[in-house]
Amino acid sequence: MTALLELENLRKHFPVGRTGWPSKAAPSFVHAVDDVSLAVQPGETLGLVGESGCGKSTLVRLITRLLDVTGGKIWFNRRELAEVPARLFARDDDRAHIQMVFQDAGESINPRFTAADAIADPLRRLLGLRGAALRSRIEEAALQCGLPLELLGRFPHQLSGGQRARVGIARAIGTRPRLLILDEPTAALDVSVQVTVLKLLQTLKVDLGLSYIFVSHDLNVVRLLCDRVVVMYLGRIVETGPARAVFETPLHPYTRSLVAAVPRLDGPRPDAPRLVGDPRSPIDPDPNACRFYGRCPVGVARCGTEMPALRDFGGGRDVACHLAEGPG
Amino acid sequence: MMAPTTDVLRVEDLSVAFQTRGGLVRALDRVGFTVGAGQTMALVGESGSGKSVTAYAVMGLLETAGRVTGGRAFLGQTDLLATPPRTMARIRGRRIAMIFQNPRAALNPIRAVGKQIADVLLRHGGATRSNARDRAIEALRAVGIPDPARRAKAYPFELSGGMCQRVMIAIAVAARPDLLIADEPTTGLDVTTQAVVMDLIGAMARGSGMATILITHDLALAAERANRIAVMHAGHMVEEADTATLLARPRHPYTARLIAATPTAAGSLASLQSVPGGLPDLRQADRLHCRYAGRCERRQDACDAVLTMRPAAPGHAVACWNPL
């Protein structure tokens, strides 16, 4: 099976501080995404989790080609996209094939656009649809998302949170994308509505043959929707594997703390130390030290002198930790 | 049997209405609960259920369109709702404190955080000009901020969200209040930071016997952190019990629905069920009857009668004419 999306050693470094002439000091860089390789298979949902500042959003903006990469490759549907400059990608044919559902549709939809306008915008710009063809595609997308057609004339503030979320999804699926990136699509919703939206996403994925990248820090939700999960810490992947296995027996100490911090309605929480303190600075990090070293509850001297590489633990699981041992 | 505790706050029949262009919105209708010393009471419900309005009414911080139309809220012997604004200003910050969501927005952006803590200590904490700075640094150290002397000079934008929330906590507990109201204190924070912040609030409460009201939409967070949970729906309190009982044997259909909609560590997506329907329009006349009836599958004719909280078991109250 060929992957729909494959990232090879993707890197994104942002220059900071005194970078321009006449400074003689070497410029510093924020290592937002470092050496990230992953693949998304057709029909698969990949979860991307980690704390704020771990590089999730930068990675998403690289995949959606809103940012130029510093290094590495992005294979989408057997085509290399990293070499297309971000400013040209807006008119690229594959623009319509990679779409995004943003966090909190109430904030991300133009308040002066009706629901129909919001859904129409990418159809006009990317597919050049007009008139009856546009109208029918808008209605098709709305119906697929369970948005009653009589709501299409309303503005975002006249819609409920759940209806707004549906507009955001309809807008993204209108261009018939292959890959949908979901950035915390239910973070702004009450649990009562969240379930409906999650089930809608699950149905759409199957019906339309989509692949998802699901970005969230609500691990309970990630576990419900995702086949596989990638855990990031300070720009690097620290653990990846099938979602259920990763959450049931996390192998990386960071994943363990992350899973243990999730509030649970049922049963006792797994026993793991609290993560105290903040992540280290992402500016020019030591290339020979584990990024988690210093905050890690189990770190040893070796972690400060040798960057752990992702190791294969079988069952599709990879963990970047010197001290990790196989499950069970 | 739980040891008897003294009630720090006792709210009785609290009703609040907002005057809007669309008419009078009865945001709260006869809400009542108590919080004991050292206890944590969680107010849980969807957005628009009246959780925050309850807190703002108790604090005397309702916006001008809002009006308390009935009820009492006793902090010790003092009825806060009958207290003149001038006296309330002395009670707020000293005996009741509040933590808001989005700490970076709640802090003063152009004042160093140490000074903001010192302000509270000077006004409510009995600090003097000469020792306010040192006590502010001490307060920062108490909430686990590393290098507090340097951080005291930082502005909110220089601190992470978790760090800002710790500063808010330091400000809130500076005068050793009897009651802390935490309104969605961890919304927008990472789960790892959330755990640390909630640990801190818990430790502060245990250390001083402070009572806590935790306002949250996250039932799982309430389950983990609160002794008792009160479920709110459309301005009514629909069920109130100790945490374990409420989760194991919910009596109100809405509570049961809410639990069934909350993702768990074991369930699948198919096993989750949404709560059908939406909140009713609160602009209509008195609405003293059940406000969940329109969404409820157990509705019957008796539900048209005026709704009151009734005991379902010792320490377990439910507002339903046809409970589970």
Side-chain angles (χ1 to χ4, degrees):
Chain A
M1 191 159 59
T2 336
L4 176 68
L5 176 81
E6 198 160 355
L7 309 182
E8 271 177 38
N9 305 101
L10 203 60
R11 280 184 295 132
K12 178 66 192 179
H13 299 170
F14 294 99
V16 286
R18 297 186 305 146
T19 55
W21 188 85
S23 164
K24 292 194 185 68
S28 296
F29 289 96
V30 169
H31 290 226
V33 170
D34 241 350
D35 219 14
V36 165
S37 301
L38 57 85
V40 182
Q41 307 298 335
E44 186 180 48
T45 301
L46 180 73
L48 202 54
V49 301
E51 290 168 289
S52 38
C54 75
K56 301 188 299 264
S57 300
T58 303
L59 185 60
V60 161
R61 293 173 68 194
L62 291 172
I63 297 169
T64 47
R65 301 300 297 111
L66 298 169
L67 276 180
D68 284 322
V69 305
T70 305
K73 295 200 176 343
I74 302 173
W75 293 96
F76 178 73
N77 216 3
R78 297 192 195 128
R79 180 177 165 218
E80 217 285 297
L81 291 186
E83 63 191 12
V84 185
R87 66 189 165 79
L88 295 182
F89 195 73
R91 287 182 292 282
D92 195 280
D93 284 345
D94 272 327
R95 168 78 289 165
H97 296 139
I98 305 176
Q99 286 289 302
M100 186 152 175
V101 177
F102 294 93
Q103 191 173 350
D104 194 356
E107 301 280 326
S108 61
I109 295 174
N110 188 332
R112 301 179 63 168
F113 277 14
T114 62
D117 292 336
I119 301 170
D121 199 37
L123 298 173
R124 280 203 194 96
R125 288 169 189 270
L126 301 176
L127 306 182
L129 293 182
R130 298 286 184 275
L134 177 64
R135 188 76 216 166
S136 74
R137 187 68 81 85
I138 294 171
E139 291 180 355
E140 179 191 322
L143 290 176
Q144 279 169 334
C145 295
L147 191 69
L149 297 184
E150 52 272 25
L151 296 183
L152 282 176
R154 293 208 191 169
F155 289 94
H157 73 272
Q158 297 168 314
L159 298 169
S160 72
Q163 289 161 347
R164 282 199 289 255
R166 287 172 201 271
V167 173
I169 297 168
R171 174 187 159 89
I173 64 163
T175 60
R176 300 193 174 143
R178 304 279 311 275
L179 177 67
L180 211 57
I181 296 176
L182 306 149
D183 184 8
E184 306 248 12
T186 61
L189 301 176
D190 280 311
V191 281
S192 54
V193 188
Q194 170 175 275
V195 182
T196 337
V197 172
L198 291 177
K199 285 186 175 173
L200 169 68
L201 288 171
Q202 188 66 35
T203 313
L204 286 176
K205 189 183 89 160
V206 177
D207 290 355
L208 306 180
L210 296 167
S211 300
Y212 288 162
I213 294 180
F214 190 93
V215 183
S216 180
H217 61 235
D218 188 340
L219 300 190
N220 284 332
V221 171
V222 170
R223 205 185 50 79
L224 288 175
L225 215 60
C226 296
D227 306 307
R228 277 191 316 124
V229 62
V230 165
V231 184
M232 287 182 72
Y233 189 81
L234 272 183
R236 298 184 74 97
I237 296 180
V238 294
E239 178 159 4
T240 167
R244 184 166 284 272
V246 170
F247 290 144
E248 271 169 16
T249 52
L251 300 179
H252 195 283
Y254 175 66
T255 320
R256 274 205 294 275
S257 301
L258 200 60
V259 171
V262 180
R264 282 161 191 265
L265 201 54
D266 49 348
R269 60 162 68 231
D271 193 31
R274 280 273 189 275
L275 271 189
V276 289
D278 293 308
R280 292 204 275 167
S281 164
I283 299 171
D284 290 338
D286 183 352
N288 295 320
C290 175
R291 298 264 165 100
F292 193 44
Y293 184 54
R295 205 181 174 204
C296 179
V298 296
V300 294
R302 183 184 170 200
C303 307
T305 55
E306 188 187 340
M307 167 80 81
L310 278 172
R311 284 189 290 147
D312 188 349
F313 279 82
R317 305 191 63 174
D318 291 305
V319 182
C321 179
H322 295 309
L323 304 166
E325 288 164 18
Chain B
M1 198 62 196
M2 218 186 307
T5 52
T6 45
D7 289 345
V8 172
L9 179 76
R10 192 170 78 250
V11 177
E12 293 170 356
D13 288 331
L14 174 62
S15 299
V16 171
F18 284 84
Q19 189 67 53
T20 70
R21 274 185 288 181
L24 200 63
V25 174
R26 296 174 195 282
L28 284 188
D29 178 33
R30 291 167 297 146
V31 165
F33 61 93
T34 60
V35 198
Q39 299 282 302
T40 299
M41 158 72 97
L43 297 184
V44 176
E46 292 169 83
S47 33
S49 61
K51 311 184 292 285
S52 295
V53 173
T54 306
Y56 283 100
V58 168
M59 291 281 279
L61 291 175
L62 285 177
E63 47 182 302
T64 45
R67 198 162 45 84
V68 174
T69 55
R72 290 159 302 281
F74 289 101
L75 182 73
Q77 301 301 315
T78 322
D79 181 0
L80 299 173
L81 304 180
T83 303
R86 199 178 277 268
T87 318
M88 269 310 283
R90 284 202 297 273
I91 293 177
R92 272 195 303 269
R94 183 170 308 171
R95 297 185 60 199
I96 323 176
M98 189 156 177
I99 305 174
F100 302 87
Q101 61 171 298
N102 194 356
R104 198 169 286 131
L107 291 170
N108 184 339
I110 56 165
R111 209 162 154 71
V113 295
K115 289 217 169 100
Q116 298 190 44
I117 300 175
D119 288 344
V120 182
L121 289 167
L122 282 168
R123 187 171 158 87
H124 295 301
T128 60
R129 284 194 178 281
S130 54
N131 71 7
R133 202 186 103 82
D134 290 341
R135 281 188 57 188
I137 291 171
E138 210 38 59
L140 283 174
R141 194 190 313 278
V143 292
I145 288 187
D147 199 358
R150 191 168 62 85
R151 296 292 190 191
K153 295 185 195 130
Y155 291 87
F157 77 91
E158 297 175 295
L159 301 176
S160 68
M163 205 81 96
C164 282
Q165 194 56 290
R166 284 182 212 207
V167 172
M168 283 284 297
I169 294 171
I171 289 175
V173 302
R176 303 201 155 269
D178 303 326
L179 175 68
L180 176 72
I181 300 179
D183 187 1
E184 304 269 7
T186 55
T187 305
L189 299 183
D190 286 311
V191 282
T192 47
T193 316
Q194 165 172 284
V196 174
V197 165
M198 292 308 299
D199 284 351
L200 179 63
I201 294 176
M204 292 283 173
R206 272 193 303 279
S208 64
M210 177 176 76
T212 310
I213 296 177
L214 171 65
I215 297 176
T216 178
H217 63 270
D218 185 349
L219 196 54
L221 184 69
E224 221 168 64
R225 303 289 177 170
N227 307 96
R228 300 183 68 79
I229 297 180
V231 180
M232 297 193 66
H233 176 268
H236 274 156
M237 189 161 281
V238 296
E239 186 161 10
E240 201 255 303
D242 70 88
T243 302
T245 307
L246 187 105
L247 294 174
R249 286 180 298 280
R251 301 294 303 275
H252 198 284
Y254 178 64
T255 312
R257 282 286 191 174
L258 216 49
I259 295 170
T262 304
T264 61
S268 65
L269 185 56
S271 69
L272 289 184
Q273 288 168 350
S274 64
V275 186
L279 295 181
D281 187 351
L282 301 183
R283 281 176 302 195
Q284 289 155 24
D286 272 339
R287 303 293 311 232
L288 294 173
H289 58 274
C290 178
R291 292 176 175 181
Y292 183 65
R295 306 170 80 175
C296 186
E297 69 273 19
R298 296 174 61 81
R299 186 192 149 83
Q300 40 175 240
D301 289 344
C303 298
D304 291 332
V306 169
L307 191 71
T308 45
M309 281 288 254
R310 293 177 303 151
H316 188 167
V318 62
C320 181
W321 290 111
N322 188 17
L324 295 164

